[in-house]
Amino acid sequence: MIRLSLKKTAAAAAVTLAFTAGALLQNDSALSPVAPAAAQQIQSQLPDFTKLVEENGKTVVSIEVSKKPKSMPSRGGSDRFRGIPKDQLDLLRRFGFPFGPDFDFRGPHDSMPDMPARKGQGSGFIISPDGIILTNHHVIDGADEITVHLTDNREFKGKVLGSDEKTDIAVVKIDAKDLPAAKLGSSEKVKVGEWVAAIGAPFGLENTVTSGIVSAKSRNLPSDQFVPFIQTDAAVNPGNSGGPLFNMKGEVIGINSQIFSTSGGFMGLSFAIPIDLALQIKDDLIKDGKVHRGKLGVVIQTLTPELAKSFGLEKAKGALVAEVTKDSAANKAKIEEGDIILFFDDKEIEKASDLSRSVASAKPSTEHTVKVLRDGKEVTLKVKLDSASDSDVPTEAQQAKSKGRLGVSVRPLSDEEKKKFGDGLFVVSSEGAAAKAGIKEGDVLLSVGGKKIRSFDQFKKAVENAKDTLALQVAREGSRIYVAVKLDDKEKKEEKKEEKK
């Protein structure tokens, strides 16, 4: 019934359209069919990926991994059923389990059967004729055996030369010669809107080609502070991970790594690791099997518009130093809490993640120029980086007096607290403007308006003289952050009236 109804509706629509079109054609000859020459011209403007695939498809490989399960502990006798209530055992018997009250539960070998090996699928691409392959760390992570499938149906055992979890890059080697190698481009030259193609093995379907455009560059993802992803709308699905992203010149500009999805499949948002970063990581992995990263020794946060305003800045640019680690490279270079880092060498720092990536990309023991904004003036410093461990990198960020305009009740620090925090004030309670900004009981206020808090009177005066936004440095749960508090002018006026009374 439904199909028939649809056919009738479609037929009626077709008749109506025919009459309408006829009437239109009588009145406007411009709506005549498109000429073959014009159609050919339109078609010639669309991207053609055939040459790209013919020349580069053979450089893409499919990677199969297997992981051996952990051995099951040997359990004999009735230990397998120990702890099961008697009524549940009786229920099992009623459903046909062949054992009586005195049945010996031990198997012939007194052990649990082995579980089958777990298998995984991914992609990769050849970057040198002697069998060097780039892929994702998460494709080969924990693999006991790696099998690389080439497009000519040959298979090779793969050996991991190195892998980096932070950037999701891995280098695999196979024992082969004279292999076709992919042409490597520059992700720095990628432009938003240009056409791209992804080749990989989604769901194990080898050498599958999809296309799209570059949707954005330098995309930050919540789980990654090291990778400025290339975002595309080229279809990428499970199995595509580790495969190349090509530009129209047939050059690899990225490694497909992640998708955003609420269904587990492609939803128009895929992310690739820039090839420039991948090659830098690759060199370290081949040479030493691990990545050497620089360490500055600061806790940083991105400037919000409110924080920028409180520091007297017109635009929210730079990385705000919330904390400086003692005896760190930053400490030795005289970088101070409250500094706003504007440049790392010639790289302008727009947000905190820019500094994290710049420092992580630099080598330990190398000297760099850092330009900071301090008390409204630019200061240039020289810093020699330390060596970072995997977790040791710049991270983005922790008697009562009257509440006043800010909305906090504070008390002086105890002797023990002073040993831990230095000077500051302990927040006894928080409401109003402070509470709205996230200040809460138990916080320790370390600085106000970029100045360290030496006394309650100094703190009170800074709050009274603030215009509409005030920056507070807060110590909370072992970390230090800056919080911008929006102050109410009405509260300020009322406070002055009370003082006059």
Side-chain angles (χ1 to χ4, degrees), residues 125-134 161 171-174 179 282 286:
F125 57 100
I126 304 166
I127 62 170
S128 67
D130 60 346
I132 301 293
I133 294 169
L134 281 183
L161 298 184
V171 181
V172 174
K173 177 75 167 65
I174 60 175
L179 296 175
K282 179 264 301 181
I286 291 178

Side-chain angles (χ1 to χ4, degrees), residues 78-358:
S78 60
D79 284 350
R80 297 184 196 175
F81 298 89
R82 183 173 292 169
I84 298 179
K86 184 177 182 301
D87 59 336
Q88 292 187 21
L89 288 174
D90 292 339
L91 182 63
L92 291 173
R93 291 188 186 97
R94 290 208 310 269
F95 277 89
F97 280 75
F99 52 81
D102 300 321
F103 187 84
D104 186 355
F105 297 106
R106 286 176 294 182
H109 302 290
D110 194 27
S111 63
M112 294 293 287
D114 291 335
M115 298 293 291
R118 292 185 297 153
K119 293 185 179 293
Q121 183 79 35
S123 304
F125 57 100
I126 304 166
I127 62 170
S128 67
D130 60 346
I132 301 293
I133 294 169
L134 281 183
T135 186
N136 285 147
H137 163 82
H138 75 262
V139 170
I140 54 84
D141 185 32
D144 295 301
E145 189 174 276
I146 299 173
T147 304
V148 177
H149 302 266
L150 306 187
T151 56
D152 60 7
N153 294 324
R154 287 187 293 169
E155 291 184 358
F156 295 88
K157 295 299 179 185
K159 177 185 177 183
V160 178
L161 298 184
S163 184
D164 181 51
E165 182 180 5
K166 298 294 184 184
T167 55
D168 199 22
I169 298 293
V171 181
V172 174
K173 177 75 167 65
I174 60 175
D175 188 12
K177 295 180 179 179
D178 302 323
L179 296 175
K183 292 183 293 183
L184 304 178
S186 171
S187 47
E188 189 69 27
K189 298 178 181 178
V190 172
K191 294 183 178 180
V192 176
E194 71 173 278
W195 286 95
V196 289
I199 305 180
F203 304 107
L205 302 173
E206 299 180 4
N207 234 235
T208 296
V209 184
T210 57
S211 65
I213 63 167
V214 174
S215 306
K217 290 178 60 179
S218 298
R219 182 68 78 193
N220 292 322
L221 299 183
S223 59
D224 290 272
Q225 60 174 317
F226 295 103
V227 181
F229 286 97
I230 300 171
Q231 180 185 329
T232 79
D233 65 351
V236 171
N237 286 289
N240 271 112
S241 291
L245 183 71
F246 291 98
N247 61 18
M248 290 305 293
K249 297 178 182 178
E251 300 169 334
V252 178
I253 57 171
I255 303 177
N256 296 311
S257 175
Q258 299 186 35
I259 61 173
F260 176 84
S261 175
T262 58
S263 64
F266 176 68
M267 293 184 66
L269 295 168
S270 55
F271 302 92
I273 302 165
I275 193 63
D276 295 350
L277 173 62
L279 294 178
Q280 179 184 337
I281 299 299
K282 179 264 301 181
D283 291 339
D284 273 358
L285 293 177
I286 291 178
K287 182 180 178 182
D288 300 317
K290 63 179 182 178
V291 179
H292 301 283
R293 293 187 172 93
K295 174 187 172 185
L296 188 56
V298 292
V299 175
I300 53 176
Q301 62 186 99
T302 293
L303 278 173
T304 62
E306 292 80 11
L307 276 173
K309 195 172 183 180
S310 67
F311 278 95
L313 298 175
E314 295 182 0
K315 295 183 179 180
K317 283 187 176 183
L320 177 59
V321 179
E323 184 177 350
V324 178
T325 305
K326 186 178 180 181
D327 297 327
S328 65
N331 184 232
K332 295 172 184 175
K334 307 301 182 184
I335 294 175
E336 299 178 3
E337 295 174 0
D339 284 350
I340 299 171
I341 299 179
L342 304 175
F343 282 88
F344 184 84
D345 289 334
D346 295 329
K347 170 69 175 177
E348 186 174 9
I349 305 301
E350 297 277 348
K351 47 191 178 294
S353 58
D354 292 340
L355 181 64
S356 295
R357 291 165 185 161
S358 296

